[in-house]
Amino acid sequence: MSRSVKKGFYVDPGLWKKVIKAQETDDRRPIKTWSRRSLITPEFVGLNIDVYNGKQFLPVHVTENMVGHRLGEFSLTRTFRGHAGSNKK
Amino acid sequence: MPRILAVDIPGNKKLPYALRYIYGIGPTLAKEIVEASGLDEDRRAKDLTEEEINKLAEIIIERGIRTEGDLRREVTGNIKRLIAIQCNRGIRHRRSLPVRGQRTKTNARTRKGKAKAIAGKKK
């Protein structure tokens, strides 16, 4: 079920402050964050965000198309290296 | 067989059912369209006059309901977008695995295709 409109969008408050500041100062250094649940708003466009996947920070460059998705969607948490013994056809 | 919106040829079924043969029109919309047209819902699609068919088509266009090619294009466009932005859903589409968090240990055959035997897998 999608989020109630009444509540508005969710962005981690700490991350939000950093994003606004980065946009004001035109600072393109990556912002590290653990907040995978934060929604990408138009303010994020053009920034580099390092999103934690439980192990490391994966760099995400935010483009216009990504608005409306959440940060976690771009930082995969699983590694799949194929099944044992399937040595490719 | 009558044609609505140039392409579709619904069968000799009652109107709300015949309309559902158009891609993008399901049970609810079909019923609403028939009601809006004021036609008797027990009539068969084949006994419609040209005028009545045009009326149905008009209602579909007027309401901005996307059907057939337009709708298919929109859907593939959406999937393309997901793939282009490298998000998890896009990656699932690219690898043709289930997109909405279903289990893949078993099942998921619709997305994965027919099961492939794995050599030497016994007990």
Side-chain angles (χ1 to χ4, degrees):
Chain A
M1 196 195 291
S2 45
R3 186 181 168 88
S4 149
V5 179
K6 180 184 84 180
K7 296 184 189 177
F9 60 90
Y10 177 81
V11 179
D12 185 83
L15 175 64
W16 181 248
K17 259 201 289 195
K18 285 188 187 171
V19 167
I20 298 297
K21 199 165 165 221
Q23 288 292 18
E24 276 170 1
T25 57
D26 210 30
D27 185 354
R28 289 295 123 103
R29 274 176 308 170
I31 300 170
K32 272 192 185 185
T33 182
W34 287 259
S35 177
R36 300 167 53 83
R37 55 188 178 163
S38 290
L39 196 76
I40 297 175
T41 62
E43 287 85 349
F44 282 70
V45 173
L47 296 181
N48 293 301
I49 315 261
D50 283 348
V51 185
Y52 198 59
N53 70 357
K55 186 176 183 185
Q56 45 182 181
F57 290 92
L58 295 184
V60 174
H61 177 70
V62 180
T63 62
E64 222 165 280
N65 271 330
M66 296 181 180
V67 171
H69 291 260
R70 284 168 200 277
L71 287 175
E73 290 185 58
F74 301 96
S75 173
L76 300 192
T77 58
R78 311 279 161 118
T79 350
F80 176 67
R81 295 226 176 76
H83 294 295
S86 71
N87 295 325
K88 286 278 107 162
K89 296 114 224 179
Chain B
M1 278 194 179
R3 293 166 75 89
I4 292 186
L5 297 176
V7 258
D8 296 287
I9 316 162
N12 60 343
K13 298 175 182 256
K14 289 181 182 176
L15 277 180
Y17 298 93
L19 286 178
R20 287 167 57 184
Y21 282 72
I22 302 170
Y23 183 83
I25 293 183
T28 311
L29 263 184
K31 202 154 182 266
E32 278 176 22
I33 291 165
V34 175
E35 271 162 20
S37 71
L39 296 172
D40 182 359
E41 61 170 58
D42 285 330
R43 294 196 34 207
R44 311 273 162 174
K46 64 176 173 194
D47 327 311
L48 290 182
T49 64
E50 195 98 322
E51 222 169 279
E52 287 164 331
I53 287 174
N54 286 339
K55 198 169 176 196
L56 287 172
E58 222 168 77
I59 291 169
I60 293 170
I61 293 164
E62 227 169 67
R63 293 194 169 194
I65 298 164
R66 272 172 308 243
T67 51
E68 289 299 328
D70 283 349
L71 184 55
R72 279 184 234 264
R73 226 167 296 128
E74 189 188 339
V75 172
T76 45
N78 290 344
I79 293 174
K80 281 224 180 76
R81 191 187 119 254
L82 288 175
I83 291 175
I85 62 177
Q86 305 260 340
C87 72
N88 189 24
R89 279 175 68 197
I91 290 164
R92 303 298 288 180
H93 272 296
R94 192 177 324 161
R95 304 188 57 180
S96 81
L97 288 168
V99 175
R100 299 184 178 174
Q102 298 97 320
R103 66 150 39 195
T104 51
K105 181 172 182 172
T106 64
N107 300 333
R109 278 354 296 194
T110 305
R111 290 286 292 177
K112 287 167 103 179
K114 209 162 182 304
K116 305 161 204 94
I118 290 167
K121 192 185 178 185
K122 278 250 163 81
K123 288 244 180 107

